[in-house]
PDB file of all heavy atoms in Angstrom:
ATOM      1  N   PHE A 417     -60.362  -3.141 -67.422  1.00 79.00           N
ATOM      2  CA  PHE A 417     -60.223  -3.273 -68.870  1.00 79.00           C
ATOM      3  C   PHE A 417     -61.377  -4.050 -69.449  1.00 79.00           C
ATOM      4  O   PHE A 417     -61.745  -5.108 -68.951  1.00 79.00           O
ATOM      5  CB  PHE A 417     -58.925  -3.995 -69.208  1.00 79.00           C
ATOM      6  CG  PHE A 417     -57.718  -3.120 -69.056  1.00 79.00           C
ATOM      7  CD1 PHE A 417     -56.980  -3.139 -67.900  1.00 79.00           C
ATOM      8  CD2 PHE A 417     -57.338  -2.276 -70.074  1.00 79.00           C
ATOM      9  CE1 PHE A 417     -55.878  -2.317 -67.756  1.00 79.00           C
ATOM     10  CE2 PHE A 417     -56.231  -1.458 -69.940  1.00 79.00           C
ATOM     11  CZ  PHE A 417     -55.499  -1.478 -68.787  1.00 79.00           C
ATOM     12  N   VAL A 418     -61.949  -3.497 -70.484  1.00 85.00           N
ATOM     13  CA  VAL A 418     -62.962  -4.244 -71.202  1.00 85.00           C
ATOM     14  C   VAL A 418     -62.598  -4.268 -72.672  1.00 85.00           C
ATOM     15  O   VAL A 418     -61.957  -3.350 -73.193  1.00 85.00           O
ATOM     16  CB  VAL A 418     -64.377  -3.646 -71.029  1.00 85.00           C
ATOM     17  CG1 VAL A 418     -64.808  -3.708 -69.590  1.00 85.00           C
ATOM     18  CG2 VAL A 418     -64.437  -2.231 -71.568  1.00 85.00           C
ATOM     19  N   LYS A 419     -63.025  -5.288 -73.314  1.00 83.00           N
ATOM     20  CA  LYS A 419     -62.712  -5.418 -74.730  1.00 83.00           C
ATOM     21  C   LYS A 419     -63.669  -4.586 -75.560  1.00 83.00           C
ATOM     22  O   LYS A 419     -64.842  -4.440 -75.220  1.00 83.00           O
ATOM     23  CB  LYS A 419     -62.850  -6.876 -75.145  1.00 83.00           C
ATOM     24  CG  LYS A 419     -61.781  -7.717 -74.542  1.00 83.00           C
ATOM     25  CD  LYS A 419     -61.790  -9.098 -75.167  1.00 83.00           C
ATOM     26  CE  LYS A 419     -60.787  -9.955 -74.426  1.00 83.00           C
ATOM     27  NZ  LYS A 419     -61.291 -11.269 -74.177  1.00 83.00           N
ATOM     28  N   VAL A 420     -63.146  -4.071 -76.612  1.00 87.00           N
ATOM     29  CA  VAL A 420     -63.990  -3.320 -77.529  1.00 87.00           C
ATOM     30  C   VAL A 420     -63.853  -3.936 -78.907  1.00 87.00           C
ATOM     31  O   VAL A 420     -62.746  -4.061 -79.431  1.00 87.00           O
ATOM     32  CB  VAL A 420     -63.546  -1.848 -77.640  1.00 87.00           C
ATOM     33  CG1 VAL A 420     -64.583  -1.057 -78.407  1.00 87.00           C
ATOM     34  CG2 VAL A 420     -63.330  -1.248 -76.256  1.00 87.00           C
ATOM     35  N   SER A 421     -64.986  -4.294 -79.451  1.00 85.00           N
ATOM     36  CA  SER A 421     -64.915  -4.830 -80.801  1.00 85.00           C
ATOM     37  C   SER A 421     -65.741  -3.954 -81.716  1.00 85.00           C
ATOM     38  O   SER A 421     -66.579  -3.172 -81.273  1.00 85.00           O
ATOM     39  CB  SER A 421     -65.433  -6.255 -80.837  1.00 85.00           C
ATOM     40  OG  SER A 421     -66.779  -6.289 -80.397  1.00 85.00           O
ATOM     41  N   MET A 422     -65.439  -4.113 -82.971  1.00 84.00           N
ATOM     42  CA  MET A 422     -66.190  -3.330 -83.939  1.00 84.00           C
ATOM     43  C   MET A 422     -66.466  -4.196 -85.146  1.00 84.00           C
ATOM     44  O   MET A 422     -65.573  -4.878 -85.626  1.00 84.00           O
ATOM     45  CB  MET A 422     -65.361  -2.120 -84.362  1.00 84.00           C
ATOM     46  CG  MET A 422     -66.062  -1.266 -85.397  1.00 84.00           C
ATOM     47  SD  MET A 422     -65.141   0.236 -85.642  1.00 84.00           S
ATOM     48  CE  MET A 422     -66.224   1.086 -86.747  1.00 84.00           C
ATOM     49  N   ASP A 423     -67.673  -4.137 -85.577  1.00 80.00           N
ATOM     50  CA  ASP A 423     -68.020  -4.937 -86.740  1.00 80.00           C
ATOM     51  C   ASP A 423     -67.136  -4.553 -87.907  1.00 80.00           C
ATOM     52  O   ASP A 423     -67.084  -3.397 -88.315  1.00 80.00           O
ATOM     53  CB  ASP A 423     -69.488  -4.693 -87.127  1.00 80.00           C
ATOM     54  CG  ASP A 423     -70.418  -5.442 -86.193  1.00 80.00           C
ATOM     55  OD1 ASP A 423     -69.927  -6.345 -85.482  1.00 80.00           O
ATOM     56  OD2 ASP A 423     -71.611  -5.134 -86.166  1.00 80.00           O
ATOM     57  N   GLY A 424     -66.494  -5.544 -88.430  1.00 78.00           N
ATOM     58  CA  GLY A 424     -65.686  -5.264 -89.600  1.00 78.00           C
ATOM     59  C   GLY A 424     -64.224  -5.010 -89.276  1.00 78.00           C
ATOM     60  O   GLY A 424     -63.370  -5.070 -90.150  1.00 78.00           O
ATOM     61  N   ALA A 425     -63.935  -4.734 -88.037  1.00 78.00           N
ATOM     62  CA  ALA A 425     -62.527  -4.505 -87.689  1.00 78.00           C
ATOM     63  C   ALA A 425     -61.828  -5.849 -87.522  1.00 78.00           C
ATOM     64  O   ALA A 425     -62.427  -6.782 -87.008  1.00 78.00           O
ATOM     65  CB  ALA A 425     -62.436  -3.692 -86.402  1.00 78.00           C
ATOM     66  N   PRO A 426     -60.615  -5.951 -87.915  1.00 75.00           N
ATOM     67  CA  PRO A 426     -59.938  -7.245 -87.882  1.00 75.00           C
ATOM     68  C   PRO A 426     -59.538  -7.700 -86.482  1.00 75.00           C
ATOM     69  O   PRO A 426     -59.288  -8.870 -86.275  1.00 75.00           O
ATOM     70  CB  PRO A 426     -58.699  -7.028 -88.737  1.00 75.00           C
ATOM     71  CG  PRO A 426     -58.453  -5.571 -88.685  1.00 75.00           C
ATOM     72  CD  PRO A 426     -59.775  -4.910 -88.536  1.00 75.00           C
ATOM     73  N   TYR A 427     -59.455  -6.808 -85.559  1.00 76.00           N
ATOM     74  CA  TYR A 427     -59.097  -7.248 -84.223  1.00 76.00           C
ATOM     75  C   TYR A 427     -59.681  -6.325 -83.168  1.00 76.00           C
ATOM     76  O   TYR A 427     -60.128  -5.239 -83.466  1.00 76.00           O
ATOM     77  CB  TYR A 427     -57.587  -7.394 -84.048  1.00 76.00           C
ATOM     78  CG  TYR A 427     -56.757  -6.261 -84.598  1.00 76.00           C
ATOM     79  CD1 TYR A 427     -56.241  -5.288 -83.789  1.00 76.00           C
ATOM     80  CD2 TYR A 427     -56.467  -6.199 -85.952  1.00 76.00           C
ATOM     81  CE1 TYR A 427     -55.481  -4.264 -84.293  1.00 76.00           C
ATOM     82  CE2 TYR A 427     -55.703  -5.180 -86.460  1.00 76.00           C
ATOM     83  CZ  TYR A 427     -55.213  -4.231 -85.628  1.00 76.00           C
ATOM     84  OH  TYR A 427     -54.455  -3.224 -86.129  1.00 76.00           O
ATOM     85  N   LEU A 428     -59.616  -6.802 -81.975  1.00 79.00           N
ATOM     86  CA  LEU A 428     -60.261  -6.074 -80.888  1.00 79.00           C
ATOM     87  C   LEU A 428     -59.264  -5.160 -80.189  1.00 79.00           C
ATOM     88  O   LEU A 428     -58.075  -5.257 -80.364  1.00 79.00           O
ATOM     89  CB  LEU A 428     -60.809  -7.057 -79.859  1.00 79.00           C
ATOM     90  CG  LEU A 428     -62.099  -7.752 -80.202  1.00 79.00           C
ATOM     91  CD1 LEU A 428     -61.892  -8.777 -81.275  1.00 79.00           C
ATOM     92  CD2 LEU A 428     -62.651  -8.411 -78.964  1.00 79.00           C
ATOM     93  N   ARG A 429     -59.836  -4.319 -79.357  1.00 81.00           N
ATOM     94  CA  ARG A 429     -58.998  -3.477 -78.525  1.00 81.00           C
ATOM     95  C   ARG A 429     -59.501  -3.556 -77.110  1.00 81.00           C
ATOM     96  O   ARG A 429     -60.550  -4.099 -76.838  1.00 81.00           O
ATOM     97  CB  ARG A 429     -59.062  -2.039 -79.037  1.00 81.00           C
ATOM     98  CG  ARG A 429     -58.627  -1.946 -80.477  1.00 81.00           C
ATOM     99  CD  ARG A 429     -57.895  -0.724 -80.794  1.00 81.00           C
ATOM    100  NE  ARG A 429     -56.774  -0.531 -79.892  1.00 81.00           N
ATOM    101  CZ  ARG A 429     -55.871   0.408 -80.094  1.00 81.00           C
ATOM    102  NH1 ARG A 429     -55.969   1.175 -81.144  1.00 81.00           N
ATOM    103  NH2 ARG A 429     -54.893   0.582 -79.262  1.00 81.00           N
ATOM    104  N   LYS A 430     -58.700  -3.014 -76.252  1.00 81.00           N
ATOM    105  CA  LYS A 430     -59.115  -3.000 -74.849  1.00 81.00           C
ATOM    106  C   LYS A 430     -59.023  -1.583 -74.321  1.00 81.00           C
ATOM    107  O   LYS A 430     -58.079  -0.853 -74.634  1.00 81.00           O
ATOM    108  CB  LYS A 430     -58.180  -3.890 -74.032  1.00 81.00           C
ATOM    109  CG  LYS A 430     -58.746  -5.262 -73.771  1.00 81.00           C
ATOM    110  CD  LYS A 430     -57.906  -6.029 -72.785  1.00 81.00           C
ATOM    111  CE  LYS A 430     -58.535  -7.392 -72.554  1.00 81.00           C
ATOM    112  NZ  LYS A 430     -57.729  -8.259 -71.743  1.00 81.00           N
ATOM    113  N   VAL A 431     -59.982  -1.232 -73.514  1.00 84.00           N
ATOM    114  CA  VAL A 431     -59.905   0.088 -72.884  1.00 84.00           C
ATOM    115  C   VAL A 431     -60.069  -0.060 -71.382  1.00 84.00           C
ATOM    116  O   VAL A 431     -60.748  -0.966 -70.897  1.00 84.00           O
ATOM    117  CB  VAL A 431     -60.989   1.055 -73.418  1.00 84.00           C
ATOM    118  CG1 VAL A 431     -60.712   1.441 -74.836  1.00 84.00           C
ATOM    119  CG2 VAL A 431     -62.374   0.467 -73.276  1.00 84.00           C
ATOM    120  N   ASP A 432     -59.427   0.851 -70.714  1.00 82.00           N
ATOM    121  CA  ASP A 432     -59.551   0.870 -69.265  1.00 82.00           C
ATOM    122  C   ASP A 432     -60.609   1.904 -68.915  1.00 82.00           C
ATOM    123  O   ASP A 432     -60.399   3.111 -69.055  1.00 82.00           O
ATOM    124  CB  ASP A 432     -58.193   1.259 -68.673  1.00 82.00           C
ATOM    125  CG  ASP A 432     -58.241   1.391 -67.165  1.00 82.00           C
ATOM    126  OD1 ASP A 432     -59.301   1.056 -66.578  1.00 82.00           O
ATOM    127  OD2 ASP A 432     -57.262   1.821 -66.575  1.00 82.00           O
ATOM    128  N   LEU A 433     -61.751   1.419 -68.472  1.00 84.00           N
ATOM    129  CA  LEU A 433     -62.862   2.331 -68.234  1.00 84.00           C
ATOM    130  C   LEU A 433     -62.567   3.346 -67.145  1.00 84.00           C
ATOM    131  O   LEU A 433     -63.170   4.414 -67.108  1.00 84.00           O
ATOM    132  CB  LEU A 433     -64.129   1.534 -67.876  1.00 84.00           C
ATOM    133  CG  LEU A 433     -64.750   0.735 -69.018  1.00 84.00           C
ATOM    134  CD1 LEU A 433     -65.995   0.016 -68.534  1.00 84.00           C
ATOM    135  CD2 LEU A 433     -65.100   1.651 -70.182  1.00 84.00           C
ATOM    136  N   THR A 434     -61.659   3.001 -66.264  1.00 78.00           N
ATOM    137  CA  THR A 434     -61.400   3.942 -65.174  1.00 78.00           C
ATOM    138  C   THR A 434     -60.662   5.188 -65.638  1.00 78.00           C
ATOM    139  O   THR A 434     -60.559   6.163 -64.905  1.00 78.00           O
ATOM    140  CB  THR A 434     -60.575   3.278 -64.054  1.00 78.00           C
ATOM    141  OG1 THR A 434     -59.364   2.793 -64.628  1.00 78.00           O
ATOM    142  CG2 THR A 434     -61.334   2.120 -63.434  1.00 78.00           C
ATOM    143  N   THR A 435     -60.137   5.151 -66.842  1.00 78.00           N
ATOM    144  CA  THR A 435     -59.433   6.348 -67.306  1.00 78.00           C
ATOM    145  C   THR A 435     -60.377   7.385 -67.900  1.00 78.00           C
ATOM    146  O   THR A 435     -59.953   8.466 -68.312  1.00 78.00           O
ATOM    147  CB  THR A 435     -58.376   6.000 -68.367  1.00 78.00           C
ATOM    148  OG1 THR A 435     -59.028   5.359 -69.460  1.00 78.00           O
ATOM    149  CG2 THR A 435     -57.330   5.075 -67.799  1.00 78.00           C
ATOM    150  N   TYR A 436     -61.631   7.052 -67.940  1.00 82.00           N
ATOM    151  CA  TYR A 436     -62.596   8.034 -68.462  1.00 82.00           C
ATOM    152  C   TYR A 436     -63.589   8.376 -67.373  1.00 82.00           C
ATOM    153  O   TYR A 436     -63.859   7.586 -66.477  1.00 82.00           O
ATOM    154  CB  TYR A 436     -63.344   7.475 -69.668  1.00 82.00           C
ATOM    155  CG  TYR A 436     -62.429   6.857 -70.687  1.00 82.00           C
ATOM    156  CD1 TYR A 436     -62.383   5.487 -70.843  1.00 82.00           C
ATOM    157  CD2 TYR A 436     -61.608   7.650 -71.489  1.00 82.00           C
ATOM    158  CE1 TYR A 436     -61.544   4.912 -71.765  1.00 82.00           C
ATOM    159  CE2 TYR A 436     -60.764   7.073 -72.415  1.00 82.00           C
ATOM    160  CZ  TYR A 436     -60.735   5.709 -72.547  1.00 82.00           C
ATOM    161  OH  TYR A 436     -59.904   5.136 -73.452  1.00 82.00           O
ATOM    162  N   SER A 437     -64.110   9.571 -67.489  1.00 78.00           N
ATOM    163  CA  SER A 437     -65.096   9.924 -66.470  1.00 78.00           C
ATOM    164  C   SER A 437     -66.449  10.270 -67.062  1.00 78.00           C
ATOM    165  O   SER A 437     -67.411  10.498 -66.334  1.00 78.00           O
ATOM    166  CB  SER A 437     -64.575  11.094 -65.627  1.00 78.00           C
ATOM    167  OG  SER A 437     -64.120  12.106 -66.490  1.00 78.00           O
ATOM    168  N   THR A 438     -66.502  10.350 -68.363  1.00 81.00           N
ATOM    169  CA  THR A 438     -67.804  10.637 -68.983  1.00 81.00           C
ATOM    170  C   THR A 438     -67.950   9.792 -70.245  1.00 81.00           C
ATOM    171  O   THR A 438     -66.976   9.277 -70.797  1.00 81.00           O
ATOM    172  CB  THR A 438     -67.917  12.101 -69.432  1.00 81.00           C
ATOM    173  OG1 THR A 438     -66.919  12.334 -70.445  1.00 81.00           O
ATOM    174  CG2 THR A 438     -67.716  13.070 -68.285  1.00 81.00           C
ATOM    175  N   TYR A 439     -69.144   9.723 -70.697  1.00 85.00           N
ATOM    176  CA  TYR A 439     -69.401   9.010 -71.948  1.00 85.00           C
ATOM    177  C   TYR A 439     -68.681   9.684 -73.110  1.00 85.00           C
ATOM    178  O   TYR A 439     -68.205   9.046 -74.043  1.00 85.00           O
ATOM    179  CB  TYR A 439     -70.906   8.977 -72.246  1.00 85.00           C
ATOM    180  CG  TYR A 439     -71.637   7.949 -71.424  1.00 85.00           C
ATOM    181  CD1 TYR A 439     -72.637   8.324 -70.532  1.00 85.00           C
ATOM    182  CD2 TYR A 439     -71.358   6.592 -71.561  1.00 85.00           C
ATOM    183  CE1 TYR A 439     -73.324   7.391 -69.793  1.00 85.00           C
ATOM    184  CE2 TYR A 439     -72.036   5.650 -70.820  1.00 85.00           C
ATOM    185  CZ  TYR A 439     -73.020   6.051 -69.938  1.00 85.00           C
ATOM    186  OH  TYR A 439     -73.695   5.123 -69.211  1.00 85.00           O
TER     187      TYR A 439
END
Side-chain angles (χ1 to χ4, degrees):
Chain A
F417 284 96
V418 297
K419 291 190 186 138
V420 190
S421 60
M422 179 171 185
D423 283 344
Y427 45 101
L428 282 72
R429 302 216 53 171
K430 261 189 179 173
V431 290
D432 176 7
L433 290 181
T434 57
T435 59
Y436 312 108
S437 49
T438 63
Y439 282 118

